[in-house]
Amino acid sequence: MKISVYYTPESTPENEIPDCAVVIDVLRATTTIVTALNNGAKSVKAYSDLDLLTKESNLLPPESRLRLGERGGKKVDFCDLGNSPLDCTVETVSGKQLFISTTNGTRSLQRVQEAKTVIAGAMINYQAVVDYLQEKQPETLWLLGSGWEGGYSLEDTVCAGAIASLLVDTGKPDMIGNDEVIASIALYQQWQDKLLDLFKLSSHGQRLLRLALDDDLKYCSQKNITDTLPIQTSLGLVSLSN
Ligand code: MLT
C-alpha cells in the first residue's frame, strides 16, 4: 500500500486517481454522512451543484427523500436540513434517501468518484476505515481532506493523521507517498487527546462557533463512536459497506 495525504481536492495531482480514496470532511460533511447512514438512511448522494441536486431529488416522492444543503456553514433555504450531524437522528433520516451539497466536502467526493473504492471517513469512524484498508490492502491510497475553499484545514489533516498513524510503518519508506503523510501523523500525535481544543482553534471551527454550533464541534471531535463505513456504490452515491 502506498499512502498519500492531500489537504484539499485542489492539491491532488491532475489526471491521477488512486485505487482507493478516503474522503475526509470532519467539520462536517463526512461526519454527517457517517451519522446519517448509522441512523438508518438508505443512501447519501453528493452534489456540488444545488440545481442538479434539486432536479434529481425531485424524481423521488417527498416522503422518501431529504435534501441537505450548506453554504458557508449555514443551511441552504430550500433544503430540509443543513449539514449538522445532530439533525440526522433516526426519526429524521431512517429509510430516506439523502441528497447533500456542502461547500467543500461534496467537491472532494466528486474529485475521486472515479476511484475503484471511495470511502467517507471522519474522527467518529476512523478505526472502521483502518480495519477496511488493512483487510483490502489497496495498492494506492489517498487520504483526501476537504479544507475550506481550496485552503488547508486542521481538522481534516488530523483525521488523515489518525488513519495514517495506524497504517504507516515508518520502517518501510516505500509506503509513504508524500511528506504530508508524516506531517499529518505528527499533527495527530500532538493533538490526539485534545481534538476539541484543536477544532476550536481551526478556522472552520471558529466559523461554526460564531454560528453557535458548539455542539456540532463536540460531536465531530469524538473518536470511533461508530463502526459505520460509508462506501461509494455508484457514482457520487454512498451507502453502508456490507
Ligand atoms: C463543507 O463541506 O465545507 C462543510 O461540511 C461545511 C460545514 O457544513 O460545516
Side-chain angles (χ1 to χ4, degrees), residues 25 27-29 70 73 83 102-106 148 204 208:
D25 185 2
L27 297 175
R28 296 164 292 170
E70 167 275 336
N83 184 27
T102 70
T103 314
N104 305 286
T106 49
W148 187 265
H204 188 47
L208 295 175

Side-chain angles (χ1 to χ4, degrees), residues 25-32 69-74 82-84 100-107 146-149 204 207-208 211 213 216:
D25 185 2
V26 172
L27 297 175
R28 296 164 292 170
T30 54
T31 305
T32 296
E70 167 275 336
R71 288 295 178 269
K74 297 184 187 144
N83 184 27
S84 172
I100 187 170
S101 179
T102 70
T103 314
N104 305 286
T106 49
R107 286 191 298 119
S146 302
W148 187 265
E149 295 181 340
H204 188 47
R207 186 178 294 106
L208 295 175
L211 295 167
L213 293 166
D216 281 35

